[in-house]
Amino acid sequence: MSTKDTYQRFIRMPIFFHLSAVVLLFFILVAIVLQLLNVYTKHNQAVIVPDVKGMQIEEAAVFFMNSDLRYQITDSVYSREVSPGAIVETMPTVGSKVKNRRIISVTINAKGVKRAEIPDVADLSYRQAYALIQAQGFTSIETKYVPGRYKDLALKVESNGRTLKPGELMPISATLVLNISDGIPIQDSEEPKEKQDETVEEN
């Protein structure tokens, strides 16, 4: 039987058989597409991001390889909690389920002490000066009131008794002392003492 005869015989069949053939072909195509998608996306195949926090990157690389994951260092921060060069954080986070061969972004602890510039705080308000120092990354900030004409006006920044110049680099872990004017000028604060000395001399 030729192809032409088969085609003519098929089109003479009742409409029910035509519809059945179309539906059957549709389901076959859907099954093929789903199977291809399943293979492409590796459906239901996931791995757990290993706990590599605190590890050196060379040590963590073995764990990533055993988990069929890849990694890349994307950032470095300064942390006292882990040793220099150790992993501080991962993205996705530890314990997350990801597909194999996923690239894990790694943040490591800086090998050197992180430093930042001392901002120019002179003639700023106490709040502005404090916020400006914090914005540079410093976390240990103390306040000391000293004689000055205008109350709550920032004067300078010190560390270990030494005045720091604007732009000077300091470790962000250093303790900084923000000098703030108390609103009592130096000559006014010394006047009572001078008068007391004069009274003693007269007696």
Side-chain angles (χ1 to χ4, degrees):
M1 182 180 296
S2 65
T3 304
K4 183 178 180 180
D5 294 336
T6 303
Y7 174 73
Q8 290 178 347
R9 185 175 181 181
F10 177 76
I11 61 176
R12 292 194 187 101
M13 295 174 64
I15 189 64
F16 172 77
F17 291 101
H18 287 265
L19 291 176
S20 299
V22 171
V23 171
L24 179 61
L25 180 61
F26 172 77
F27 280 110
I28 292 174
L29 290 175
V30 169
I32 293 174
V33 171
L34 290 177
Q35 186 62 29
L36 291 175
L37 286 174
N38 189 43
V39 173
Y40 178 76
T41 60
K42 297 182 179 180
H43 185 60
N44 291 330
Q45 293 185 18
V47 293
I48 304 297
V49 177
D51 188 358
V52 293
K53 286 186 178 180
M55 296 183 184
Q56 295 294 319
I57 195 66
E58 296 81 5
E59 181 184 3
V62 178
F63 285 83
F64 285 129
M65 183 176 64
N66 291 338
S67 299
D68 197 18
L69 296 171
R70 295 175 293 169
Y71 72 92
Q72 64 179 5
I73 300 174
T74 56
D75 196 9
S76 64
V77 296
Y78 177 73
S79 173
R80 298 179 182 179
E81 298 179 359
V82 297
S83 60
I87 294 175
V88 178
E89 191 59 79
T90 64
M91 184 58 64
T93 57
V94 170
S96 300
K97 290 185 178 181
V98 297
K99 294 176 182 178
N100 54 355
R101 303 296 297 165
R102 169 73 182 270
I103 297 178
I104 306 301
S105 298
V106 176
T107 299
I108 63 172
N109 191 20
K111 292 188 176 182
V113 176
K114 188 174 182 180
R115 297 173 179 269
E117 292 185 359
I118 297 299
D120 187 0
V121 299
D123 296 330
L124 295 179
S125 70
Y126 164 69
R127 291 179 180 273
Q128 289 176 316
Y130 197 95
L132 191 57
I133 296 173
Q134 278 189 322
Q136 292 294 95
F138 297 102
T139 55
S140 180
I141 308 170
E142 298 178 358
T143 301
K144 181 174 73 173
Y145 279 90
V146 297
R149 183 175 300 276
Y150 303 104
K151 185 173 176 58
D152 291 333
L153 187 70
L155 301 176
K156 61 181 180 179
V157 180
E158 295 179 335
S159 181
N160 295 323
R162 181 176 68 87
T163 299
L164 303 177
K165 298 178 180 179
E168 183 175 344
L169 290 175
M170 289 290 292
I172 61 172
S173 58
T175 298
L176 304 183
V177 180
L178 177 60
N179 283 218
I180 302 296
S181 172
D182 59 7
I184 305 175
I186 296 177
Q187 58 270 23
D188 294 344
S189 62
E190 291 180 348
E191 185 176 351
K193 182 179 179 181
E194 292 175 355
K195 288 184 177 181
Q196 184 179 4
D197 291 341
E198 291 176 0
T199 303
V200 173
E201 290 177 0
E202 290 177 358
N203 293 335

